[in-house]
Every structure is written in structure tokens, then in C-alpha cells.
Amino acid sequence: MYNFSYTRLKEYSKDLSAHTAAEKQKGLAIEEGSELNLKAKFSCLPGLKEKDRDPLAVLIQILSKPPLTKASTEDRIVWTGWFCGTYTEDDLLEVLPKPFTCLSVFLYNGSEALAAIVGTWFQRNFDCCFGKLAISSQDLTWLAAMWTRYDVSGSVSATELVFSVPVESRMDISYAIHTEDFKTFM
């Protein structure tokens, strides 16, 4: 990302909130219950940094507060995304000019519409691009075999992948592969 700065996260929060409001004003379907007031919040995720040279991961949350609720009512998280660049190759980091930040993976949980709005905002502001990561069925089978320790004899153990995102209100991502499900891959 070009000219991205960790010291400007509050400013980015305001800018993305304004961008989201403008897109909502245009009539884009952002989320059910379009009367919701949406705001963006940026923060760092230091727990996703594997090597000293890796850039800090960035968490983006879209929060909503329905109108006519008390001021003390807590905002509800309706969309979460995070950029990370763990295990970035040192060769790449050495040749990357100073104004660039290498956060090569973007993961999100929430609506496609909000993901598109956030993606458009990042592309405009940091001259970056977004694309879906396509994993072929053969590659997925190979990954599943590694995760479950599948061997030629056909014995396989159930596997659950759990990733805990290091944020204040704990966020766990879980993916389970049961023995019966795995056998359908093979």
C-alpha cells in the first residue's frame, strides 16, 4: 500500500466512515436495515507479526448503532477485515521503497457489499488492488491431507483449525474437518 501510515489510523477511520456514508447515500445496499449509522474503526494487531521485519497487521471494523437507541448503547460490529503480511520474504521487504507497506493478505468477515466499499476506499487511497484467492480442489485436498495427517493406509484424524485474532473482545475463527468429510475429498 502506497503512503499508508500506522500513525494515521484515526484519520483513516473518519475517512472510511465518510466514504461508507456517501456510498449509503447513493443507495447502495450496505446491510439489511439501511437506517443503521455505520462507522469505521482501524487498529493494529501486533499478535499477527511473526518476524521482526513483518509489518503490523491492521484490523478494520465497521460498527453500527441503530437510530433511536440510548447513547450508552454499545456499537455492534457488522463487518471485520484485516490486512496482514506475515512471513513476508526479506528480499521483497529490502527492495520495497519507503512509502510502501506490504500487507499482502486481506481477510474479512461480513457482507460482500461492505467488502467492496472498503476495497474501493483502499484502492483509491493507497494505490493497491484486491482480488480473490482461488484455491483449486487439488490444492485444497493437498492442504486437507497435510492438516489431518492423512497417510497412505487411509487413517485420518479429525482436525479443527482455530485462529484467535488478538483483539480486545476475543475473536476466534474455527474450521473443522471431520473424518467422514475428509474422505470425500480423496
Side-chain angles (χ1 to χ4, degrees), residues 26-86:
K26 290 179 189 176
L28 294 178
I30 292 177
E31 183 184 273
E32 287 182 33
S34 60
E35 73 283 349
L36 297 174
N37 297 316
L38 300 174
K39 71 176 181 180
K41 179 183 172 188
F42 281 66
S43 57
C44 288
L45 293 172
L48 291 180
K49 188 174 177 172
E50 291 295 324
K51 298 186 309 185
D52 288 340
R53 295 191 69 182
D54 284 341
L56 282 172
V58 176
L59 175 69
I60 303 112
Q61 295 175 311
I62 305 291
L63 308 151
S64 75
K65 183 177 286 200
L68 307 174
T69 57
K70 295 179 183 177
S72 61
T73 304
E74 210 170 294
D75 292 341
R76 182 175 63 96
I77 299 171
V78 295
W79 188 91
T80 305
W82 53 99
F83 282 100
C84 58
T86 58

Side-chain angles (χ1 to χ4, degrees), residues 9-20:
L9 296 182
K10 283 187 180 181
E11 180 183 328
Y12 299 155
S13 296
K14 290 177 185 176
D15 288 351
L16 181 56
S17 294
H19 176 74
T20 304

Side-chain angles (χ1 to χ4, degrees), residues 107-129:
L107 305 167
Y108 72 90
N109 180 23
S111 76
E112 288 277 337
L114 280 172
I117 289 169
V118 171
T120 300
W121 184 84
F122 269 94
Q123 289 176 67
R124 282 190 201 146
N125 287 280
F126 304 110
D127 195 21
C128 58
C129 81

Side-chain angles (χ1 to χ4, degrees), residues 53 89-98 100:
R53 295 191 69 182
E89 293 187 30
D90 289 335
D91 294 349
L92 174 63
L93 294 174
E94 286 175 15
V95 298
L96 199 62
K98 286 278 186 220
F100 287 93

